[in-house]
């Protein structure tokens, strides 16, 4: 008897625990779909301002596809890389981990410049359509 | 004017981040060569009597099994079980109610890194702990309590264990294919739906039926058989040779199917990172990408499964004139050797997800402070930066090669041990040709995938 009532109170506590965030959700205005810490050029290796660029690449998106296929851009660790992405549709280019973001559209290309300090393969995507635009291979 | 929600784009295996560098061809080539030479050497050089199964119980650990420690152990288990259930509730509710953004919600990293990578790997080290503390087992236990007795027997799809392939297959599809598979909402509702289904089965048909449906627990438990720790028959904890536990107990046919399904899923993860797949999927997004990915996943799982099935058929034919010493109680050839796939699955899993665990796994600590994406900072870790250089690509590369080759060799050992337990030496040797062929195929395939 005692065992089952203590079990019930544990359950009640868990249910309570589950309800706290839902109350918070109701209190919020419109959920958390707005900004979430993705400021433009938030990463620490994003190059901002006039710096000598070691490698430059250009990627072109037409009709929702990358011209010539999704390129794998190879650079050496420490290189300053600049990638210009142009697109016929307005969107946002995001290079993961380096957290570089830039707007792209008919008005002009998105220019992303980073210092390739972290080795590995990193993907850049269009935030709106989800299209992968290039891979940055740092080795 | 409606503002579209900004949803983080879904990347390979759910949570985006650093992907591994492709291995060089010479590394992969040498590893494959070493694996092959050692496997064929094993055929002739290894023991001629079964050894592993006898070691499965292990040597008792002093001090366990004493009554006082048993009570303390039960209390500790209950505490851990409650804590795991609480985390589970947070993860599911975060998925359903939290910010619908991969990078601001705890659920994606909890599901794809903590649950699907950390817990299976931990089980391989410390044994079948998940059975005692996992949330579904806890809920199943509660649901089955006070169940009206004498209800009808569960349908054969449940008792045979084949239904367990459905949730695991759906999970792999979400993880590797579905374009919104890392979205917290998707994970939250899927998790809730699965939990409800498991609880309903437990309520209707009882605990053991529910466990046959809970495929994740089965996979985790199967991997735990490789652990150097296990509960002995006398109730005490034992230390044993790794792998021995897998040799002791045969797999059910549905469990072999489950292992092949997960192995195929991991192989597809590798395929989807290759340049070949990059070209196939190029220019596709949304449902278009999902459709192509679904075909790819089905195709790779079918190839992996068919290769093993074929080896099983060949083995059955090779050994047809020579009945096994147990009279065939362990099923056909494919089922009899199913356990030797477990270390191969483990090797693939480590190779593909080691860097995910070490790198993206750091996000768990960050997001635990703000699981719902509401600007909280419960543990003061929300601003802790993720160290994307914690493990170098070179180290990751060697871990990948090491785990695939070691998994392969362990598989060969397990299969060899089972074969000498089943047939006299000459036939045992012959029976291993098809098994070796399929294992070498898996290993070479796995290594080729790693070269990108």
């Amino acid at each position: 008897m005692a065992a089952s009532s203590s079990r019930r109170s544990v359950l009640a506590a868990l249910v309570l625990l589950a309800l706290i965030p839902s109350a918070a959700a109701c209190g919020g205005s419109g959920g958390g779909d707005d900004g979430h810490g993705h400021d433009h050029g938030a990463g620490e290796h994003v190059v901002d301002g006039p710096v000598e660029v070691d490698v430059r690449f250009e990627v072109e998106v037409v009709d929702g596809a990358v011209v010539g296929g999704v390129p794998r851009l190879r650079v050496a660790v420490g290189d300053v890389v600049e990638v210009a992405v142009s697109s016929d549709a307005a969107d946002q280019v995001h290079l993961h981990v380096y957290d570089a973001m830039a707007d792209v559209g008919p008005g002009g290309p998105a220019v992303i410049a980073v210092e390739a300090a972290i080795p590995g393969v990193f993907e850049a995507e269009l935030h709106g359509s989800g299209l992968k635009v290039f891979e940055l291979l740092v080795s | 004017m409606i503002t579209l929600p900004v949803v983080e784009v879904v990347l390979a295996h759910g949570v985006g981040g650093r992907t591994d560098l492709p291995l060089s061809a010479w590394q992969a080539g040498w590893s494959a060569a070493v694996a092959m030479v050692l496997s064929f050497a094993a055929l002739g050089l290894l023991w001629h009597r079964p050894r592993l199964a006898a070691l499965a119980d292990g040597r008792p650990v002093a001090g366990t099994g004493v009554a006082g420690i048993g009570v303390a152990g039960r209390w500790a288990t209950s505490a851990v079980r409650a804590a795991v259930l609480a985390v589970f509730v947070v993860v599911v509710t975060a998925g359903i109610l939290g910010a619908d953004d991969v990078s601001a919600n705890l659920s994606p990293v909890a599901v794809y890194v903590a649950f699907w990578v950390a817990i299976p790997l931990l089980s391989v080290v410390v044994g079948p702990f998940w059975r005692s503390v996992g949330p579904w087992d806890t809920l199943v236990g509660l649901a089955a309590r006070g169940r009206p007795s004498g209800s009808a027997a569960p349908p054969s799809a449940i008792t045979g264990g084949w239904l367990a392939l459905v949730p695991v297959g759906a999970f792999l599809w979400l993880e590797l294919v579905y374009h919104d598979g890392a979205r917290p909402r998707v994970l939250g509702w899927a998790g809730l739906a699965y939990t409800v289904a498991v609880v309903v089965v437990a309520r209707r048909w009882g605990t053991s039926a529910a466990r046959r449906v809970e495929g994740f627990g089965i996979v985790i438990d199967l991997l735990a058989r490789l652990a150097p720790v296990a509960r002995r028959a006398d109730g005490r904890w034992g230390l044993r040779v790794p792998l021995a536990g897998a040799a002791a107990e045969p797999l059910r046919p549905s469990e072999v199917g489950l292992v092949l399904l997960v192995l195929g899923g991991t192989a597809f993860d590798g395929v989807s990172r290759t340049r070949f797949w990059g070209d196939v999927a190029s220019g596709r997004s949304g449902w278009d990408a999902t459709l192509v990915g679904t075909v790819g996943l089905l195709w790779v799982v079918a190839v992996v499964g068919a290769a093993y099935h074929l080896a099983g058929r060949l083995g059955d034919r090779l050994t047809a004139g020579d009945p096994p010493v147990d009279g065939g109680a362990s099923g056909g050839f494919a089922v009899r050797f199913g356990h030797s796939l477990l270390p191969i699955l483990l090797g693939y899993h480590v190779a593909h997800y080691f860097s995910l665990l070490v790198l993206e796994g750091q996000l768990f600590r960050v997001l635990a402070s703000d699981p719902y994406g509401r600007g909280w900072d419960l543990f003061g870790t929300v601003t802790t930066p993720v160290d994307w250089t914690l493990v170098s690509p070179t180290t990751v590369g060697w871990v990948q090669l090491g785990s695939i080759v070691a998994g392969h060799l362990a598989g060969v050992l397990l299969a060899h041990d089972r074969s000498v337990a089943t047939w006299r030496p000459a036939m045992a040797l012959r029976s291993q040709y098809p098994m070796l062929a399929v294992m070498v195929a898996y290993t070479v395939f796995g290594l080729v995938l790693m070269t990108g």
Side-chain angles (χ1 to χ4, degrees):
Chain A
M1 231 22 214
S4 92
S5 82
S6 79
R7 191 169 297 117
R8 216 164 291 146
S9 59
V10 168
L11 262 181
L14 287 172
V15 169
L16 255 175
L17 196 74
L19 287 179
I20 295 166
S22 70
C26 297
S29 53
D33 292 331
D34 43 352
H36 42 266
H38 273 309
D39 305 327
H40 284 236
E44 57 170 319
H45 300 295
V46 173
V47 175
D48 213 8
V51 185
E52 202 170 309
V53 173
D54 297 305
V55 210
R56 269 199 178 81
F57 296 101
E58 283 181 13
V59 181
E60 200 186 344
V61 178
V62 177
D63 284 340
V66 181
V67 176
V70 180
R72 178 172 277 181
L73 313 174
R74 290 174 173 271
V75 299
V77 176
D79 279 355
V80 175
V81 193
E82 189 183 278
V83 186
V85 180
S86 59
S87 167
D88 52 354
D91 213 319
Q92 246 182 348
V93 180
H94 181 206
L95 174 62
H96 283 269
V97 175
Y98 283 91
D99 250 347
M101 284 253 253
D103 290 325
V104 66
V111 179
I112 281 178
V114 296
E115 187 202 341
I118 315 167
V121 179
F122 308 92
E123 300 186 344
E125 261 130 330
L126 293 179
H127 244 186
S129 70
L131 182 77
K132 180 155 98 175
V133 283
F134 66 85
E135 288 177 5
L136 185 66
L137 191 158
V138 183
S139 65
Chain B
M1 180 82 194
I2 302 159
T3 357
L4 288 171
V6 180
V7 176
E8 184 80 4
V9 192
V10 178
L11 296 157
H13 49 68
V15 239
R18 195 183 106 181
T19 329
D20 300 324
L21 285 173
L23 296 176
S24 60
W26 69 266
Q27 280 178 310
W30 274 104
S31 306
V34 166
M36 260 183 275
V37 169
L38 287 179
S39 345
F40 281 99
L43 276 189
L45 299 179
L46 285 177
W47 51 85
H48 299 298
R49 283 170 200 284
R51 289 190 176 180
L52 289 174
L55 301 170
D57 229 17
R59 289 168 20 164
V61 179
T64 60
V66 185
I69 288 179
V71 170
R74 271 199 291 283
W75 276 98
T77 308
S78 300
V80 175
R81 191 184 293 146
V84 170
L85 189 61
V87 172
F88 172 76
V89 170
V90 168
V91 169
V92 173
T93 51
I96 295 173
L97 305 164
D100 197 9
D101 171 5
V102 174
S103 55
N105 193 305
L106 179 65
S107 60
V109 69
V111 170
Y112 290 130
V113 184
F115 169 61
W116 194 231
V117 183
I119 287 168
L121 295 188
L122 192 59
S123 301
V124 171
V125 178
V126 304
F129 78 103
W130 192 243
R131 247 321 155 223
S132 312
V133 302
W136 290 304
D137 279 285
T138 307
L139 294 173
V140 159
L142 290 173
R145 204 164 307 234
R147 197 174 64 89
S149 58
S151 50
S156 61
I158 291 180
T159 49
W162 291 102
L163 207 58
L165 272 74
V166 174
V168 175
F171 177 88
L172 293 172
W173 182 79
L174 279 183
E175 181 194 26
L176 305 168
V177 173
Y178 180 50
H179 59 278
D180 260 348
R183 239 181 111 164
R185 286 291 176 278
V186 173
L187 291 174
W189 286 112
L192 184 64
Y194 178 60
T195 306
V196 168
V198 170
V199 164
V200 165
V201 171
R203 190 76 200 156
R204 178 98 198 260
W205 290 297
T207 312
S208 60
R211 285 187 170 182
R212 289 283 165 76
V213 177
E214 211 279 272
F216 305 101
I218 299 175
V219 173
I220 291 167
D221 251 17
L222 287 173
L223 286 173
R225 290 188 188 176
L226 302 170
V229 186
R231 204 64 178 268
R232 289 164 47 89
D234 61 7
R236 292 194 287 177
W237 288 93
L239 281 178
R240 64 188 182 191
V241 180
L243 303 180
E249 225 177 319
L251 268 62
R252 299 163 184 282
S254 61
E255 289 173 338
V256 180
L258 202 53
V259 170
L260 286 167
L261 174 67
V262 180
L263 193 64
T266 312
F268 173 72
D269 184 40
V271 170
S272 66
R273 294 187 207 179
T274 59
R275 300 298 294 153
F276 160 72
W277 191 260
D279 292 340
V280 173
S282 164
R284 297 177 199 274
S285 56
W287 279 106
D288 190 19
T290 298
L291 185 69
V292 174
T294 305
V295 173
L297 177 63
L298 290 173
W299 170 65
V300 175
V301 168
V303 167
V304 166
Y308 186 73
H309 182 73
L310 193 71
R313 293 288 293 273
L314 271 172
D316 276 331
R317 191 171 297 179
L318 266 175
T319 57
D322 210 334
V325 289
D326 61 3
S330 308
F333 194 91
V335 174
R336 182 180 298 273
F337 290 99
H339 67 299
S340 58
L341 293 170
L342 292 173
I344 296 179
L345 176 66
L346 174 65
Y348 262 57
H349 215 67
V350 171
H352 284 261
Y353 302 124
F354 166 70
S355 66
L356 188 76
L357 178 66
V358 176
L359 299 173
E360 278 83 350
Q362 297 173 55
L363 286 169
F364 190 88
R365 194 168 58 134
V366 174
L367 293 169
S369 272
D370 186 15
Y372 297 89
R374 310 232 165 261
W376 303 349
D377 195 359
L378 299 177
F379 309 110
T381 54
V382 97
T383 50
T384 319
V386 170
D387 183 0
W388 294 103
T389 55
L390 190 62
V391 55
S392 76
T394 317
T395 310
V396 172
W398 287 113
V399 167
Q400 290 179 321
L401 292 173
S403 60
I404 286 199
V405 172
H408 169 89
L409 292 176
V412 170
L413 279 188
L414 280 175
H416 174 84
D417 192 69
R418 179 60 54 85
S419 76
V420 292
T422 310
W423 292 288
R424 58 197 163 71
M427 179 52 81
L429 184 71
R430 197 133 44 95
S431 75
Q432 288 309 285
Y433 295 153
M435 281 309 293
L436 258 189
V438 73
M439 286 183 189
V440 166
Y442 284 162
T443 299
V444 171
F445 181 50
L447 290 168
V448 166
L449 291 179
M450 293 276 152
T451 62

